[in-house]
Amino acid sequence: MPAADLELTAEILDRIDEVVAPGTTFATDDLPFTPKALRETLVDVVDALAPSA
């Protein structure tokens, strides 16, 4: 599993906390859709986590 060696920096963890505050629990199955602003923010976070080529 390549992600097992992934280390999240404080900056990335802070960005994740901006998207979903610590302690927040929600399941996407409970939502009819994901708001565009959240989708775009999540894409930014995933891009930041992706290893550079």
Side-chain angles (χ1 to χ4, degrees), residues 7-24:
E7 292 186 34
L8 301 177
T9 65
E11 180 181 47
I12 291 173
L13 292 172
D14 288 343
R15 289 287 310 273
I16 292 170
D17 288 346
E18 288 174 14
V19 175
V20 179
T24 302

Side-chain angles (χ1 to χ4, degrees), residues 24-41:
T24 302
T25 302
F26 73 91
T28 55
D29 292 342
D30 296 335
L31 299 173
F33 68 97
T34 303
K36 181 180 178 186
L38 181 56
R39 282 195 316 266
E40 290 171 350
T41 303

